[in-house]
Amino acid sequence: MTKIELLIVICLALFLFGAVCNVVKIDKLALKDVFEKHFLIGAALNDDIVSGKDPQAAEIVEKQFNTVTAENVMKWEKIHPKLNKYDFDASDRFVDFGLKNKMFIIGHTLIWQSQIPGWAFVDSSKKLLSRDAMLARMRDHIFTIVGRYKGKVKGWDVVNEALNDEGEFGKTKWLETIGKDFVAKAFEYAHEADPKAELYYNDFSLDKPAKRDAAVRLVKDLQAKGLRIDGVGIQGHWGMDYPIREDLDAFIDSIGALGVKVMVTEMDIDILPVASNYMGADINIKVDLQKKLNPYVDGLPDEVQKKLTDRYSELFAQLLAHKGKVSRVTLWGVYDKTSWLNNWPVRGRTSYPLLFDRNYQPKAAFYAIIKAAEKTK
Ligand code: G3I
């Protein structure tokens, strides 16, 4: 072998060694380690993940995350389907999964106007319950569930989506039967049921000024009543151009100033065309409209992938810049294939909102948010 050939062989060997090291290094990257000094990082889990039907997703969760939220199994219609019947099979599996992996377990959600059966608000003759009867039913629901997982579920989304965009309480059966203090009552009961559990208010669009101010008033009101509230979660179903930077900053600052935790509780980024923009347009050319609304069935073009990656990077950099104020970021799902955004607001689309792709592989956005953390000292 000539000297030049020897040199080529050595270079090749070094190159291969470097590549192998790099693969091993990438394989070792775990979000929970990368973000350890900044905030908890987690995902919402469906039952397939915790029941063993989706072991590849479970493997990602075990490796990457230190907090988990129940995506659906603790909602009223699932956990309390009939008046005197609770069904804990799936929620027990979820909690056991979190305990086994020593994760910070979030219960989602105790009081919400969606995914709750109609019987919950009426008596046996289908008449709307009185305030006292509704309070008793709410207390039973909260005590039964929070009591069962006392000391195991560390934080509860006590009330979900009670406010509207105008900053008022939305018109719900909770408001109608109990009155505005249904929120305070829910927090009171949850605290009685597990005095050590953290208690949160959770909602979307809290970056919008009117809604943000209403959340601030809500927290202050609970605090003035001497009730426990530990944090506010902004859901984080975000897009390419919302929330705007200033609004998200203002939300984090104003909730942080109240001395409670600020959390991003249901993060995903929707890159698909905004369906409402197409309302009324091309409506008679159905196939064409479907293509417009669902353009990436065969994969994301590079330039779109890059836009998504940059958006993830930008949003994480912004959250990280609020040093210590954001206590948790939870992704709303583990990988693209099972995201709720494949079926909302249009059914059957191919959506790309999360950090892992349809084949369980980390996306460019995964590496981009790690870089964002590395840049934040
Ligand atoms: O499990 C049934 C299945 O048996 C049935 O065949 C199928 C037919 O449609 O429905 C399945 O249930 C669906 C369930 O998700 C599980 O996939 C429900 O129809 C569907 O409504 C439900 O959607 C959930 C939605 O909340 C409503 O509860 C989404 O998965 C869940 O991601 C979403 O999460 C909410 C948060 O709780 C609150 N914030 C907004 C967020 C997104 O909407």
Side-chain angles (χ1 to χ4, degrees):
M1 192 184 285
T2 66
K3 274 185 187 166
I4 293 193
E5 281 168 344
L6 186 65
L7 201 65
I8 291 172
V9 169
I10 290 172
C11 285
L12 204 61
L14 284 174
F15 174 77
L16 285 175
F17 180 69
V20 168
C21 287
N22 218 16
V23 167
V24 171
K25 196 174 140 212
I26 285 171
D27 195 46
K28 284 216 168 106
L29 283 177
L31 296 177
K32 63 185 175 191
D33 300 330
V34 172
F35 288 97
E36 196 182 12
K37 291 196 189 78
H38 306 286
F39 37 67
L40 292 173
I41 185 133
L45 307 188
N46 60 35
D47 191 43
D48 283 355
I49 297 177
V50 299
S51 66
K53 283 192 198 136
D54 194 349
Q56 283 168 283
E59 198 182 312
I60 293 177
V61 177
E62 285 165 6
K63 182 172 163 190
Q64 299 294 339
F65 300 119
N66 48 24
T67 173
V68 286
T69 302
E71 184 179 4
N72 285 310
V73 298
M74 287 178 159
K75 289 173 182 171
W76 192 304
E77 69 176 8
K78 297 275 180 204
I79 204 168
H80 190 179
K82 294 198 177 127
L83 184 54
N84 292 313
K85 184 181 183 302
Y86 284 88
D87 181 349
F88 294 115
D89 288 357
S91 55
D92 282 358
R93 278 195 289 275
F94 163 75
V95 172
D96 288 346
F97 179 93
L99 289 175
K100 190 184 89 192
N101 291 296
K102 299 186 172 51
M103 290 163 164
F104 191 89
I105 303 172
I106 309 290
H108 172 87
T109 173
L110 296 170
I111 300 301
W112 190 23
Q113 63 274 11
S114 292
Q115 311 303 119
I116 179 167
W119 63 257
F121 298 100
V122 294
D123 62 18
S124 52
S125 50
K126 304 231 162 56
K127 212 174 130 247
L128 206 62
L129 291 183
S130 67
R131 170 179 161 89
D132 285 348
M134 195 69 231
L135 281 172
R137 194 163 283 177
M138 176 200 255
R139 188 175 186 280
D140 168 74
H141 181 82
I142 292 177
F143 262 68
T144 305
I145 296 166
V146 176
R148 184 178 184 89
Y149 300 116
K150 188 174 177 177
K152 297 178 175 172
V153 169
K154 299 293 185 193
W156 284 97
D157 287 339
V158 179
V159 176
N160 193 44
E161 300 175 11
L163 300 168
N164 63 24
D165 282 359
E166 288 71 48
E168 307 290 336
F169 281 113
K171 284 200 175 97
T172 65
K173 287 273 186 286
W174 291 111
L175 185 69
E176 196 179 341
T177 49
I178 297 176
K180 282 184 184 168
D181 66 342
F182 81 87
V183 175
K185 284 293 179 189
F187 276 81
E188 182 188 317
Y189 297 154
H191 182 53
E192 270 181 59
D194 183 355
K196 290 198 178 138
E198 293 191 356
L199 306 180
Y200 314 129
Y201 176 70
N202 192 53
D203 212 331
F204 57 87
S205 295
L206 289 176
D207 48 289
K208 301 220 175 102
K211 205 161 173 178
R212 175 197 70 215
D213 293 348
V216 168
R217 285 196 300 276
L218 185 145
V219 173
K220 282 186 175 167
D221 179 56
L222 295 178
Q223 290 174 330
K225 289 187 165 93
L227 293 168
R228 176 168 187 164
I229 172 152
D230 295 273
V232 175
I234 184 170
Q235 291 183 358
H237 297 296
W238 288 331
M240 299 308 291
D241 53 6
Y242 61 92
I244 56 173
R245 169 172 277 279
E246 292 73 18
D247 287 348
L248 181 57
D249 281 341
F251 165 75
I252 296 171
D253 289 339
S254 40
I255 296 297
L258 302 171
V260 298
K261 294 180 175 180
V262 180
M263 298 161 299
V264 181
T265 52
E266 305 185 11
M267 187 173 183
D268 43 33
I269 300 179
D270 194 355
I271 191 125
L272 294 183
V274 178
S276 56
N277 289 351
Y278 289 83
M279 290 302 171
D282 291 350
I283 214 81
N284 45 358
I285 317 169
K286 233 176 153 196
V287 174
D288 186 42
L289 183 61
Q290 271 172 12
K291 266 192 198 154
K292 277 188 181 151
L293 288 175
N294 190 19
Y296 309 126
V297 276
D298 299 322
L300 272 191
D302 288 350
E303 75 274 11
V304 185
Q305 186 78 264
K306 182 167 183 324
K307 277 189 196 156
L308 177 70
T309 304
D310 291 348
R311 185 70 178 134
Y312 256 109
S313 169
E314 174 182 78
L315 281 163
F316 265 79
Q318 187 178 356
L319 298 173
L320 288 159
H322 282 270
K323 295 188 189 303
K325 264 193 217 158
V326 177
S327 66
R328 168 166 66 94
V329 177
T330 296
L331 280 300
W332 203 242
V334 176
Y335 66 120
D336 287 341
K337 193 175 168 190
T338 52
S339 163
W340 73 294
L341 286 170
N342 292 300
N343 288 307
W344 191 92
V346 179
R347 292 196 79 80
R349 291 202 291 180
T350 306
S351 191
Y352 298 83
L354 295 166
L355 297 174
F356 289 83
D357 70 17
R358 289 182 148 61
N359 298 314
Y360 304 96
Q361 297 308 305
K363 291 160 53 171
F366 170 90
Y367 298 107
I369 66 166
I370 289 175
K371 260 198 198 137
E374 282 166 355
K375 277 192 204 151
T376 312
K377 291 293 164 226

